[in-house]
Amino acid sequence: MESLVKFVQDEFVTKKDFPNFSAGDTITVYYEIKEGEKTRTQFFKGVVIQRRGTGATETFTIRKMSGTVGVERIFPINLPALQKIEVNKKGKVRRSRIFYFRGLTGKKARIKEVRS
């Protein structure tokens, strides 16, 4: 049964070419919003907190600060409204899910950048 599900996902789910990113990276996600009959592109820029799942069900969570309030958004990788993903900074973290980042403020909330 699993092989049948994998076959259907490989054949019928359209794959988009997004850059490699992981937890700790700062990325900008451009996605389409439909308002009535009009569509517009909006972006969400923040730090990747986690990537979870595999294949068609893979998702990633981004966190940004809007004033003094933290805002998180979960995006499925295969969301049809996703237009592009830009990696702004590669971060160096030791974990794949950095939930501790939610409790940090000020200078402690900085992530070291990987120079390549």
Coordinates of all heavy atoms in Angstrom, one line a residue, residues 3 6-7 9-10 12 22 25 40 42 45 53 58-59 65 68 72-73 80 82 87 89-90 93 100 104 109-110:
S3 N 3.8 1.6 -1.2 CA 4.4 1.9 -2.5 C 3.4 2.5 -3.5 O 3.8 3.3 -4.4 CB 5.0 0.5 -3.1 OG 3.9 -0.4 -3.3
K6 N 3.3 6.2 -2.6 CA 4.5 6.8 -3.1 C 4.5 7.0 -4.6 O 4.9 8.1 -5.1 CB 5.7 6.0 -2.6 CG 7.0 6.7 -2.9 CD 8.1 5.9 -2.3 CE 9.5 6.3 -2.5 NZ 9.8 7.5 -3.2
F7 N 4.0 6.0 -5.3 CA 3.9 6.1 -6.8 C 3.0 7.3 -7.2 O 3.3 8.1 -8.0 CB 3.4 4.8 -7.3 CG 3.1 4.9 -8.8 CD1 4.1 4.9 -9.7 CD2 1.8 5.0 -9.3 CE1 3.8 5.0 -11.1 CE2 1.5 5.1 -10.6 CZ 2.5 5.1 -11.5
Q9 N 2.2 10.0 -5.4 CA 2.8 11.2 -5.0 C 3.9 11.6 -6.0 O 4.0 12.8 -6.5 CB 3.4 11.2 -3.6 CG 2.3 11.2 -2.5 CD 3.0 11.1 -1.2 OE1 4.2 10.8 -1.0 NE2 2.1 11.2 -0.2
D10 N 4.7 10.7 -6.5 CA 5.7 10.9 -7.4 C 5.2 11.3 -8.8 O 5.8 12.2 -9.5 CB 6.7 9.7 -7.5 CG 7.5 9.5 -6.3 OD1 7.6 10.4 -5.5 OD2 8.0 8.4 -6.1
F12 N 1.9 12.4 -9.7 CA 0.8 13.5 -9.8 C 1.1 14.7 -9.0 O 0.5 15.7 -9.3 CB -0.5 12.9 -9.4 CG -0.9 11.7 -10.3 CD1 -1.0 10.4 -9.8 CD2 -1.2 11.9 -11.7 CE1 -1.3 9.4 -10.6 CE2 -1.6 10.9 -12.5 CZ -1.6 9.6 -12.0
S22 N 17.3 25.0 5.9 CA 17.1 24.2 7.1 C 16.8 25.2 8.3 O 16.7 26.4 8.1 CB 18.3 23.3 7.4 OG 19.4 24.1 7.6
D25 N 17.9 29.2 9.2 CA 18.1 30.0 8.0 C 17.0 31.1 8.0 O 15.9 30.9 8.4 CB 18.0 29.2 6.7 CG 19.1 28.2 6.6 OD1 20.1 28.2 7.4 OD2 19.0 27.4 5.7
R40 N -2.8 38.8 -5.5 CA -1.6 39.6 -5.3 C -0.6 38.8 -4.6 O -0.9 37.8 -4.0 CB -1.9 40.9 -4.5 CG -2.3 40.6 -3.1 CD -2.7 41.9 -2.3 NE -3.2 41.6 -1.0 CZ -2.5 41.5 0.1 NH1 -1.2 41.5 0.0 NH2 -3.1 41.2 1.2
Q42 N 2.3 38.3 -1.8 CA 2.8 38.8 -0.5 C 4.0 38.0 -0.1 O 4.1 36.9 -0.5 CB 1.6 38.7 0.5 CG 1.9 39.3 1.9 CD 0.7 39.4 2.7 OE1 -0.4 39.6 2.2 NE2 0.9 39.2 4.0
K45 N 9.0 37.1 5.6 CA 10.4 37.0 5.9 C 10.6 36.7 7.3 O 10.2 37.4 8.2 CB 11.2 38.2 5.5 CG 12.7 38.1 5.7 CD 13.3 39.4 5.2 CE 14.8 39.3 5.4 NZ 15.5 40.5 5.0
G53 N 8.1 16.3 8.1 CA 7.4 15.6 7.1 C 8.3 15.2 6.0 O 9.5 15.7 5.8
E58 N 5.4 17.5 3.4 CA 6.4 18.2 4.1 C 6.0 19.7 4.3 O 5.4 20.3 3.5 CB 7.7 18.2 3.3 CG 8.9 18.9 4.0 CD 10.2 18.7 3.3 OE1 10.2 18.1 2.2 OE2 11.2 19.3 3.8
T59 N 6.3 20.2 5.5 CA 6.0 21.6 5.9 C 7.2 22.2 6.5 O 8.1 21.5 7.0 CB 4.8 21.6 6.9 OG1 5.1 21.0 8.1 CG2 3.5 21.0 6.3
M65 N 9.3 38.6 13.9 CA 8.9 39.5 14.9 C 8.1 40.7 14.2 O 8.7 41.3 13.3 CB 10.0 40.1 15.8 CG 10.7 39.1 16.6 SD 9.6 38.3 17.8 CE 9.2 39.6 18.9
T68 N 6.6 43.9 18.7 CA 7.0 43.1 19.9 C 6.3 41.8 19.9 O 6.5 41.1 20.9 CB 6.7 43.9 21.2 OG1 5.3 44.2 21.2 CG2 7.4 45.2 21.2
E72 N 4.2 33.3 13.8 CA 4.7 32.1 13.1 C 3.7 31.7 12.1 O 2.5 31.9 12.2 CB 4.8 31.0 14.1 CG 6.0 31.2 15.1 CD 6.2 30.0 16.0 OE1 5.6 28.9 15.7 OE2 6.9 30.1 17.0
R73 N 4.2 31.1 11.0 CA 3.4 30.7 9.9 C 3.9 29.4 9.4 O 5.1 29.2 9.3 CB 3.5 31.7 8.8 CG 2.7 31.4 7.6 CD 1.6 32.4 7.3 NE 0.7 31.8 6.4 CZ 0.1 32.4 5.4 NH1 0.4 33.6 5.2 NH2 -0.7 31.7 4.6
P80 N 0.2 25.2 -3.7 CA 0.2 25.8 -5.1 C 0.4 27.3 -5.1 O 0.9 27.9 -6.1 CB -1.2 25.4 -5.6 CG -1.7 24.4 -4.7 CD -1.0 24.5 -3.4
L82 N 2.5 29.0 -3.4 CA 3.9 29.4 -3.2 C 4.5 29.7 -4.5 O 4.5 28.9 -5.5 CB 4.7 28.2 -2.6 CG 4.7 28.1 -1.1 CD1 5.7 27.0 -0.6 CD2 5.0 29.3 -0.3
V87 N 16.7 32.4 0.1 CA 17.4 32.2 1.3 C 18.3 33.4 1.5 O 19.2 33.7 0.7 CB 18.3 30.9 1.2 CG1 19.2 30.8 2.5 CG2 17.5 29.7 1.0
K89 N 19.9 34.4 4.6 CA 21.1 34.1 5.4 C 21.0 32.6 5.8 O 20.0 32.1 6.1 CB 21.1 34.9 6.7 CG 21.5 36.3 6.6 CD 21.7 36.9 8.0 CE 20.6 37.7 8.5 NZ 20.8 38.3 9.8
K90 N 22.2 32.0 5.8 CA 22.3 30.6 6.3 C 22.7 30.7 7.8 O 23.7 31.3 8.1 CB 23.4 29.8 5.5 CG 23.0 29.6 4.1 CD 21.9 28.7 3.9 CE 22.3 27.2 3.8 NZ 21.2 26.3 3.6
V93 N 23.0 26.5 13.6 CA 22.3 26.0 14.8 C 22.6 24.5 15.0 O 23.0 23.8 14.0 CB 20.8 26.2 14.8 CG1 20.5 27.7 14.9 CG2 20.2 25.6 13.6
Y100 N 13.4 26.7 21.1 CA 13.9 27.5 22.2 C 14.0 29.0 21.7 O 14.1 29.9 22.5 CB 15.2 27.0 22.7 CG 16.3 27.1 21.7 CD1 17.1 28.3 21.5 CD2 16.6 26.0 20.8 CE1 18.1 28.4 20.5 CE2 17.7 26.1 19.9 CZ 18.4 27.3 19.8 OH 19.4 27.3 18.8
L104 N 13.6 33.6 23.3 CA 14.7 34.5 23.3 C 14.3 35.9 22.7 O 13.5 36.0 21.8 CB 15.8 34.0 22.4 CG 16.4 32.6 22.8 CD1 17.4 32.2 21.8 CD2 16.9 32.6 24.2
A109 N 18.5 36.6 20.7 CA 17.7 36.0 19.6 C 18.5 36.1 18.3 O 17.9 35.9 17.2 CB 16.4 36.7 19.5
R110 N 19.8 36.3 18.3 CA 20.6 36.3 17.1 C 21.1 34.9 16.8 O 21.4 34.1 17.7 CB 21.8 37.2 17.2 CG 21.4 38.7 17.2 CD 22.6 39.6 17.2 NE 23.3 39.4 18.5 CZ 24.4 40.1 18.9 NH1 24.8 41.0 18.1 NH2 24.9 39.9 20.0

